[in-house]
């Protein structure tokens, strides 16, 4: 089951800033780092943020991550058409002794 | 190139068994913990299981505990998932993934498992 809660959808026009939230608890986001994944239709997920706010090489700097308490956020600034995709957050959960994923957010570029 | 290649999926009847494989290449396999993540059709991602680099430590989601077994053969750079007592709700695309810096940085292409009579 998904322990991390995300909004089902988010949208913006090209060039706008879009934010996706990820709400967890004291057993996961509150004490562990968060990662974010982008999934295009029919494709495997791709990592875009690790260790809460680090970008892998090759990921555009318009993607950024942050965390406050038991919630994390992914921001996409300067939204581009190719950013339309599903986005998932993830973190280790100490109570479950396993990783948990967010419910997923579909970002639409209007 | 760093790569993971999933295989072994298929159609199986409820109660049946299946073994998935994930062939790794392009990196030192034993240095990384490996995971299985699944995605039911039209649904989100669900973590299934993980194994440490040495194979000594394993973890399972409650939904598969007692039915699935994760293992690895480091001499062949292969990760496995033995799935027994399969249920309709196990129907999903199964991905293997490498863990680095507390994140799944490399993913396989996925192998589809369908449990149906």
């Amino acid at each position: 089951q998904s322990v991390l809660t995300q909004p089902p959808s988010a949208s913006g026009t090209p060039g706008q800033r879009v934010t996706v939230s990820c709400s967890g608890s004291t057993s996961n986001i509150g004490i562990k780092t968060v990662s974010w994944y982008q999934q295009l239709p029919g494709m495997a997920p791709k990592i875009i943020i690790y260790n809460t706010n680090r970008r892998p090489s090759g990921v555009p700097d318009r993607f950024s991550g942050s965390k406050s308490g038991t919630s994390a956020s992914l921001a996409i600034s300067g939204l581009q058409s190719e950013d339309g995709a599903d986005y998932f957050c993830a973190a280790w959960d100490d109570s479950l002794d396993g990783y948990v994923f967010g419910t997923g957010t579909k970002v639409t570029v209007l | 190139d760093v790569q993971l290649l999933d295989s072994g999926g298929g159609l199986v009847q409820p109660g049946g068994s299946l073994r998935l494989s994930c062939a790794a290449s392009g990196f030192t396999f034993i240095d990384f913990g490996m995971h299985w993540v699944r995605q039911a059709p039209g649904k989100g991602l669900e973590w299934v299981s993980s194994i440490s680099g040495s194979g000594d430590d394993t973890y399972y989601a409650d939904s598969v505990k007692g039915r699935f077994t994760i293992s690895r053969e480091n001499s062949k750079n292969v990760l496995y998932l033995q799935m027994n007592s399969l249920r309709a709700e196990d129907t999903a695309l199964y991905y293997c993934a490498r863990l680095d810096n507390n994140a799944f940085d490399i993913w396989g292409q996925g192998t589809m498992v369908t449990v149906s009579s």
Side-chain angles (χ1 to χ4, degrees), chain A residues 33 37 39 44-45 47 51 99 101, chain B residues 39 47 101-104 107-108:
Chain A
T33 61
Y37 305 87
Q39 188 176 34
I47 183 172
N51 284 348
Y99 273 90
F101 282 94
Chain B
Q39 187 169 33
W47 174 81
N101 285 313
N102 305 307
F104 305 110
W107 295 69

Side-chain angles (χ1 to χ4, degrees), chain B residues 29-106:
Chain B
F29 188 59
I30 197 170
D31 285 350
F32 294 89
M34 297 295 297
H35 297 248
W36 288 99
V37 176
R38 69 185 180 183
Q39 187 169 33
K43 302 295 184 183
L45 300 171
E46 180 188 13
W47 174 81
V48 173
S49 181
S50 69
I51 187 167
S52 61
S54 65
D56 289 343
D57 299 310
T58 59
Y59 298 89
Y60 298 92
D62 286 344
S63 57
V64 306
K65 204 169 291 183
R67 300 187 299 122
F68 290 11
T69 302
I70 191 171
S71 63
R72 61 192 297 161
E73 198 164 354
N74 286 338
S75 62
K76 294 184 178 180
N77 292 347
V78 181
L79 173 73
Y80 301 104
L81 185 68
Q82 177 66 43
M83 304 185 296
N84 299 331
S85 303
L86 282 161
R87 306 166 180 167
E89 53 265 35
D90 295 318
T91 294
L93 187 59
Y94 284 72
Y95 296 101
C96 65
R98 186 181 84 168
L99 190 80
D100 190 26
N101 285 313
N102 305 307
F104 305 110
D105 68 330
I106 305 294

